[in-house]
Amino acid sequence: KKNFELSVRNQTLSILKSLYDISVSTLDPKEVAQKMVDSLSTQLHFPAAFISVVDETTQSLVPLGISQSTEMSQTLTLIGKPIDQMSISLSYTHNLLVNVVNSNLRQITSNLLDILDPLVTQDIADQISKITQIKIVVIYPLSLGPKVIGVLALGVAKKIDDLSRLEKETIEQLITIVSIALDRAQLHTSLKLANDKLKELDQLKDEFVSLASHELRTPMTAIKSYTWMVLNAKAGEISPTAKDYLNKVFLSTERLIRLVSEMLDISRIESGRVQLKIESFDLT
């Protein structure tokens, strides 16, 4: 008995390790989901396994990975839709997957229509059941605390009471690993999108600075030029006080022009358009 328990424990740990290895091998949510359902289906000898995740934007449940096999290919053909078009609104409570998300509780069904409604009819659901030999579907919420991020559904070719100890123990322990791996992958994707958006905004900022600097330099040059012309007019045509004010305007305009030129230089450097003018000079 102890040897049997040890054997079950070792097999469970082996499966959990394979799932952990998947979770650290990639940060793409679809790739994580696909590898995990394929691993579970193969190692636990289940006819089918699939993962769907909650899309907060569309408020729907979106399939992310479906185990690959000849039977599942036939199933997808019967459904008549690609996986990316099989989303279900979270308001459609006739679907058991949606109910699992809303209740955060495990559910079991022997009727495939419960998880495929409204994608197929009862007749097609029965055909899929015969093709895959699925007797029951066990649906687990993938949650982190009170928040449900998706569901894991396992199609089993036997009744729930006929599941082996290995199968039951492994299923119960793998939920946390799958949840964490998916959340980590989705977080990475969100951060990548946010980072891309920031890069886009930074580029727009550089373009704005460049355009604004060009537009500022033109009137500044005009002010400087006309001020210089007035300052260099014949003596006696302007008062000493006015000349003092105009000198201040001239110097301030020069400082602004230098500032604008530096802004343009920074813009060129950041966009990789800086041009170096190499020439000899007297070091002394």
Side-chain angles (χ1 to χ4, degrees), residues 257-269:
I257 291 174
R258 284 198 299 270
L259 176 62
V260 168
S261 296
E262 289 171 357
M263 290 171 66
L264 282 171
D265 287 340
I266 291 173
S267 179
R268 293 190 188 100
I269 291 170

Side-chain angles (χ1 to χ4, degrees), residues 114-125:
D114 290 340
I115 64 170
L116 294 175
D117 185 25
L119 301 174
V120 301
T121 62
Q122 182 65 66
D123 180 56
I124 293 178

Side-chain angles (χ1 to χ4, degrees), residues 206-218 221 256-275:
D206 290 341
E207 292 175 1
F208 170 77
V209 169
S210 180
L211 290 171
S213 299
H214 275 293
E215 295 299 323
L216 284 170
R217 188 160 60 177
T218 301
T221 302
L256 275 175
I257 291 174
R258 284 198 299 270
L259 176 62
V260 168
S261 296
E262 289 171 357
M263 290 171 66
L264 282 171
D265 287 340
I266 291 173
S267 179
R268 293 190 188 100
I269 291 170
E270 289 186 338
S271 61
R273 295 183 291 110
V274 64
Q275 293 181 343

